[in-house]
Amino acid sequence: MTFANIAIIGLGLQGGSIGLAVREFLPESRTRGYDLSAQHRARAAERRLVDEVCTTAAEAVRDADLVIFCVPPGVMGIAAEQVRAGLPANALVSDVGSSKQAVAKALGDALPEHVVIPAHPVAGTENSGPDAGFAHLFRNRWCIVTPPAKVDMVKLSGLVSFWEALGANVEIMTAEHHDLVLAVTSHLPHLIAYTIVGTASDLEDVTQSEVIKYSAGGFRDFTRIAASDPTMWRDVFLSNKEAVLTMLQRFTEDLTALQRAIRIGDGDQLFDHFARTRAIRRSIIEEGQDDARPDFGRGDHEGR
Amino acid sequence: MTFANIAIIGLGLQGGSIGLAVREFLPESRTRGYDLSAQHRARAAERRLVDEVCTTAAEAVRDADLVIFCVPPGVMGIAAEQVRAGLPANALVSDVGSSKQAVAKALGDALPEHVVIPAHPVAGTENSGPDAGFAHLFRNRWCIVTPPAKVDMVKLSGLVSFWEALGANVEIMTAEHHDLVLAVTSHLPHLIAYTIVGTASDLEDVTQSEVIKYSAGGFRDFTRIAASDPTMWRDVFLSNKEAVLTMLQRFTEDLTALQRAIRIGDGDQLFDHFARTRAIRRSIIEEGQDDARPDFGRGDHEGR
């Protein structure tokens, strides 16, 4: 099955990229979009992120056979309630949220009569808002689909084909497992990055200007992630609390072990730890999940 | 003053880049180089990292008016002892080590009759070895020079001009202050990155293959830094122990506060923290210390 009328609720990085990707890769499908912010709606119309920008969520889902919620995890339920009156009974409900158990429950509670199949494209940049999206965001990225135990197989297969058409590879797993995997590959890295950038900002002996000047020593990498949308990330941590706290506990134990090795001067333990982390980067590059060039191919080494 | 004969001890990322940069930007100067590894020496000769690759360190410093030690911090003293017999009395001794108090002491102890002015170019990539260097590594990066309290001003000014010729901006500070600043902008980020990559590798519930597949959610950024040279980083942590432990303590306190906010569901505290970390990235980009493009301009979003 293909979707003829796709409604996109929330026109930020994800919603905008989906709209642009549908126009490029699924030109037969028609897109309607809605965003809570009038300013974002205006900008979305200028950039033609969707075929039609609507002034209410209910209007955007009129005739929809697929609605994708692209709002922060904490307001998925509210956004879903806003479309309930106008959403066709046969429409498939999905989303792009970074946590899946909480979002699946929020969407299911708000739209109990509809088929809900949550999804999460593991793709993004540090930018947000209606200017951030681009059609190729999902190319060669993974999209994780987390169907409930009993699922409409035709709709599931339609959703898988949809994401594949946008350039993504699709993997299916339970929402529980998704939340554990993403806690380590995405949520914990963001928490750590937000923390260290905050720590560096609060020092008394080192000035902000020094932190900025000498950031090429490694710190600058963390500032990219820590520039991500604060509303969305607040919601991610609140909605995937247990898995994040579990991973954080592991991380803290490991950090404490390295801290002790530094304190007692155990160079062998440090070396052994540092030597075994290279292989994983090599695999990430081999799997096409990162740029092989040194320093991510950053432009500030131009002419190398 | 300019340096006519420059000796480079250690022909990895830093030493190789200095050799190539001297050929491009200071073509009047002659370079000799040495590396402990015969394999690296052969590769350095093939890549013409220096004008002459020597088979002993003593031979490399013959006639030198500047010798730059580009070896891990832990072996600076040993490398300096190896050149003592052959080093001209008037030669300036410098280095590129990432920690400065310990290195200054090691070089001073090994070469008590010479003028020692340590330096640290805050520039690099995750690669190491004789294939990693390139002539423009230092362009628009900061080089921190940490002269002793009583210093030969002619030699200091010569060293500053040398680094400026290679494209760097030079800042002068005490070794103590350097070690504190770099503990937060470089050493702590590396320790955190090494830790989280290790944590992710050791999980039972999440497979290595899943960590790799979904790394685009943020994790992959940490793997770049954690692919850095393990020997060098072991030495950095051992040689800048106090400052690293101090910064680590700060970081742990801040992480604990955010952990608590997640546990008790304090969304406002999370939002406030996440919202104030964006400004610092903007400043880093404005100061030319990072690429302004989303996602560092990574090539895997080509065609955006």
Side-chain angles (χ1 to χ4, degrees):
Chain A
M1 78 180 282
T2 54
F3 301 104
N5 291 296
I6 299 167
I8 302 170
I9 308 299
L11 297 170
L13 170 65
Q14 297 290 335
S17 294
I18 292 172
L20 294 170
V22 167
R23 181 169 304 125
E24 182 163 336
F25 302 113
L26 295 167
E28 311 276 291
S29 298
R30 183 172 163 75
T31 53
R32 285 204 183 92
Y34 169 76
D35 195 286
L36 190 63
S37 152
Q39 207 179 336
H40 286 190
R41 288 200 300 273
R43 186 66 190 126
E46 279 167 21
R47 289 197 68 205
R48 294 194 62 232
L49 297 181
V50 286
D51 295 327
E52 187 188 340
V53 176
C54 303
T55 50
T56 67
E59 197 188 328
V61 301
R62 183 169 35 101
D63 309 324
D65 43 15
L66 170 64
V67 53
I68 307 178
F69 291 96
C70 305
V71 299
V75 291
M76 287 280 179
I78 296 169
E81 269 163 30
Q82 287 177 346
V83 308
R84 183 158 47 192
L87 189 66
N90 196 42
L92 170 60
V93 174
S94 191
D95 75 301
V96 297
S98 301
S99 62
K100 298 265 62 83
Q101 292 176 89
V103 168
K105 182 171 186 321
L107 293 177
D109 287 353
L111 299 166
E113 310 297 325
H114 285 82
V115 174
V116 177
I117 306 180
H120 176 207
V122 186
T125 74
E126 65 275 31
N127 294 339
S128 48
D131 280 299
F134 53 99
H136 291 207
L137 175 62
F138 310 109
R139 183 149 73 176
N140 200 27
R141 292 282 87 88
W142 287 90
C143 181
I144 300 174
V145 175
T146 62
K150 281 192 172 176
V151 65
D152 178 329
M153 287 306 293
V154 175
K155 285 195 163 63
L156 173 60
S157 130
L159 188 66
V160 169
S161 303
F162 172 80
W163 279 107
E164 286 175 347
L166 268 46
N169 306 311
V170 175
E171 189 80 35
I172 292 177
M173 62 179 72
T174 65
E176 289 79 0
H177 191 63
H178 167 280
D179 287 356
L180 199 63
V181 172
L182 271 287
V184 69
T185 65
S186 179
H187 307 171
L188 182 59
H190 276 79
L191 188 68
I192 299 298
Y194 277 122
T195 304
I196 194 170
V197 175
T199 303
S201 308
D202 290 343
L203 298 172
E204 304 89 36
D205 306 334
V206 178
T207 67
Q208 189 95 258
S209 141
E210 287 176 319
V211 168
I212 291 161
K213 268 164 111 170
Y214 310 120
S215 61
F219 178 73
R220 63 178 180 165
D221 283 31
F222 292 70
T223 65
R224 187 188 77 78
I225 285 188
S228 301
D229 184 38
T231 304
M232 191 196 105
W233 281 98
R234 175 198 62 198
D235 288 0
V236 169
F237 294 117
L238 295 179
S239 65
N240 196 24
K241 184 191 292 199
E242 294 311 321
V244 168
L245 291 176
T246 300
M247 291 302 169
L248 193 48
Q249 186 57 37
R250 298 284 196 120
F251 170 81
T252 303
E253 287 167 17
D254 293 346
L255 186 61
T256 303
L258 288 178
Q259 179 173 349
R260 182 172 177 280
I262 293 173
R263 193 179 298 281
I264 67 175
D266 185 345
D268 290 345
Q269 191 189 340
L270 295 175
F271 182 86
D272 289 347
H273 188 101
F274 299 166
R276 72 194 178 85
T277 48
R278 276 188 158 174
I280 204 161
R281 175 146 192 91
R282 210 157 34 230
S283 303
I284 286 172
I285 290 168
E286 281 164 11
E287 296 285 322
Q289 295 304 312
D290 207 344
D291 198 309
R293 290 171 299 166
D295 220 0
F296 305 124
R298 271 184 177 105
D300 56 295
H301 290 312
E302 51 189 293
R304 74 173 67 203
Chain B
M1 78 178 283
T2 54
F3 302 103
N5 290 298
I6 300 168
I8 302 171
I9 308 299
L11 297 170
L13 170 64
Q14 298 290 334
S17 294
I18 292 173
L20 293 171
V22 167
R23 180 167 307 126
E24 180 162 338
F25 301 115
L26 293 169
E28 311 277 293
S29 299
R30 183 172 165 76
T31 52
R32 285 205 184 91
Y34 170 76
D35 195 286
L36 190 63
S37 152
Q39 206 178 339
H40 287 190
R41 288 201 299 273
R43 185 68 189 124
E46 278 168 20
R47 288 197 67 205
R48 294 193 62 231
L49 297 181
V50 286
D51 296 328
E52 187 188 340
V53 176
C54 303
T55 50
T56 67
E59 196 186 329
V61 300
R62 181 166 39 101
D63 310 323
D65 43 16
L66 170 63
V67 54
I68 307 178
F69 291 96
C70 305
V71 298
V75 291
M76 287 280 180
I78 296 169
E81 269 164 29
Q82 288 179 344
V83 307
R84 183 158 46 190
L87 189 65
N90 196 41
L92 170 60
V93 174
S94 191
D95 76 301
V96 296
S98 300
S99 61
K100 296 265 62 83
Q101 293 176 90
V103 168
K105 183 172 185 321
L107 293 177
D109 287 353
L111 299 167
E113 310 296 326
H114 285 82
V115 175
V116 177
I117 306 181
H120 176 206
V122 185
T125 74
E126 66 275 30
N127 294 341
S128 47
D131 280 299
F134 54 98
H136 291 207
L137 175 62
F138 310 110
R139 182 148 75 175
N140 201 26
R141 292 282 88 88
W142 287 90
C143 181
I144 300 175
V145 175
T146 61
K150 283 194 171 174
V151 66
D152 178 328
M153 286 307 292
V154 175
K155 284 196 164 62
L156 174 60
S157 128
L159 188 66
V160 169
S161 303
F162 172 80
W163 279 106
E164 286 174 347
L166 267 46
N169 306 310
V170 175
E171 189 80 35
I172 292 176
M173 62 178 73
T174 64
E176 289 78 0
H177 192 61
H178 167 279
D179 286 355
L180 199 63
V181 171
L182 270 288
V184 69
T185 64
S186 179
H187 307 173
L188 183 59
H190 276 79
L191 188 66
I192 298 298
Y194 277 121
T195 304
I196 194 170
V197 176
T199 303
S201 309
D202 290 343
L203 298 172
E204 304 89 36
D205 306 333
V206 177
T207 67
Q208 190 95 258
S209 141
E210 287 175 320
V211 168
I212 289 160
K213 267 164 116 170
Y214 309 120
S215 61
F219 178 72
R220 63 177 181 166
D221 284 31
F222 292 70
T223 64
R224 187 188 77 78
I225 285 188
S228 301
D229 184 37
T231 304
M232 192 196 105
W233 282 98
R234 175 199 61 198
D235 287 0
V236 168
F237 294 117
L238 296 179
S239 65
N240 195 24
K241 184 191 291 201
E242 293 312 320
V244 168
L245 291 176
T246 300
M247 291 303 169
L248 193 48
Q249 186 57 38
R250 298 286 197 118
F251 170 82
T252 304
E253 287 168 16
D254 294 345
L255 185 60
T256 304
L258 289 178
Q259 179 173 350
R260 182 172 177 280
I262 293 172
R263 195 180 295 281
I264 67 175
D266 186 345
D268 290 344
Q269 191 190 339
L270 294 175
F271 182 86
D272 289 347
H273 187 101
F274 299 166
R276 73 195 177 82
T277 47
R278 275 188 159 176
I280 204 160
R281 176 148 190 89
R282 212 159 32 232
S283 304
I284 285 172
I285 289 168
E286 280 165 12
E287 296 286 322
Q289 295 305 311
D290 208 345
D291 198 310
R293 291 171 298 165
D295 221 0
F296 304 124
R298 271 185 177 104
D300 55 300
H301 290 312
E302 53 188 291
R304 74 171 70 201

